[in-house]
Amino acid sequence: MEQQNPRLVLERLARERGDDYTALSRLIGRNSAYIQQFIKRGTPRRLAEEDRRVLAEYFGVDERILGAPVDRKNPSVGGMTGGNMVAVSQYAVNASAGPGALAGEEEELSRIAFPERWLRRLAGGDPAKLSIITVSGDSMEPTLSDGDEILVSGEDGADRLRDGIYVLRVDNALMVKRIAMNPASRRFTIKSDNDGYPDWPDCDLDTLEVIGRVVWAGRRLA
């Protein structure tokens, strides 16, 4: 196999799939600027073996085009050609990062296939409990932007509520917000990452429905 420039390959893969560099950095457990620095600045000089494996599995490509030795066997692609893909439903519903989007019938738009091992590594639990919806509004900027696609774990809901970003249903409106728990009282604050929006302190779990925890986000590059 002819060796390609891994930086150009990764840049092309991200562009074609509509992934931003921050989301890919989070995918491999790195700081938010890691992939951008790798592609644009050449730092680090090469991807770490585990980072390369995860990215190859996510994009469904031969690991060697991301910099693995050309004589190396590639377990990522071989493992995905069998039954190790999971189709995650994408729904025609927005989770508002603003006033709140009304939740009507959740029509399935499509089903998107991901490697099962990647999903389990990312979210844990049962991949069948995952769904994809769209963010609407700017109250979660800069973490989430209007139009971002988010992967939501329905298995990680009210009974496991902890600090993190969740999709909530309040008065039949869907919202995506950050939750900050009070470990003593089990009450919590609903927060927006955008300082222009007020927090809702001292909330009671009985006043809302926890749809699931946001475990990953992707966006189209400008």
Side-chain angles (χ1 to χ4, degrees):
M1 172 180 286
E2 181 182 353
Q3 194 77 11
Q4 304 180 55
N5 185 324
R7 293 181 178 82
L8 296 180
V9 170
L10 186 55
E11 182 178 37
R12 173 179 58 80
L13 290 171
R15 181 175 63 250
E16 290 175 351
R17 188 147 173 169
D19 289 314
D20 75 335
Y21 299 149
T22 298
L24 293 176
S25 298
R26 289 199 297 262
L27 170 65
I28 60 175
R30 300 286 188 170
N31 71 73
S32 61
Y34 189 85
I35 291 296
Q36 182 175 16
Q37 290 173 347
F38 171 71
I39 291 174
K40 301 298 185 181
R41 300 183 184 177
T43 304
R45 292 180 59 189
R46 61 180 61 87
L47 292 168
E49 183 174 353
E50 177 65 12
D51 295 344
R52 186 178 63 227
R53 184 193 64 76
V54 172
L55 288 167
E57 187 169 88
Y58 172 65
F59 285 111
V61 298
D62 191 314
E63 193 175 332
R64 290 171 291 186
I65 71 173
L66 294 177
V70 294
D71 59 347
R72 175 175 175 170
K73 293 182 179 179
N74 185 46
S76 296
V77 173
M80 289 167 50
T81 56
N84 295 330
M85 300 292 285
V86 174
V88 177
S89 295
Q90 180 183 26
Y91 290 102
V93 61
N94 291 349
S96 179
L102 292 179
E105 291 296 323
E106 297 177 353
E107 176 188 357
E108 186 179 74
L109 285 177
S110 63
R111 306 190 81 195
I112 302 174
F114 295 93
E116 180 180 7
R117 184 169 64 173
W118 177 78
L119 288 176
R120 290 190 182 278
R121 180 179 182 273
L122 181 71
D126 184 358
K129 302 293 186 180
L130 296 169
S131 59
I132 300 170
I133 59 177
T134 303
V135 173
S136 175
D138 66 352
S139 78
M140 288 300 291
E141 290 276 9
T143 309
L144 299 174
S145 299
D146 184 64
D148 284 358
E149 303 290 344
I150 55 176
L151 189 63
V152 182
S153 172
E155 194 171 42
D156 202 347
D159 57 338
R160 297 170 57 185
L161 197 67
R162 59 199 186 279
D163 288 359
I165 299 176
Y166 287 82
V167 174
L168 311 170
R169 195 193 312 269
V170 182
D171 295 330
N172 204 38
L174 284 181
M175 297 180 292
V176 55
K177 296 291 181 182
R178 187 176 296 279
I179 294 293
M181 292 294 301
N182 182 326
S185 67
R186 291 295 294 170
R187 296 177 75 87
F188 57 92
T189 297
I190 298 176
K191 302 171 66 70
S192 298
D193 286 3
N194 185 337
D195 292 338
Y197 288 79
D199 296 341
W200 302 347
D202 197 33
C203 295
D204 187 341
L205 188 58
D206 293 337
T207 63
L208 53 82
E209 178 186 356
V210 179
I211 302 300
R213 184 180 177 92
V214 178
V215 296
W216 185 83
R219 67 182 53 153
R220 181 179 297 278
L221 296 176

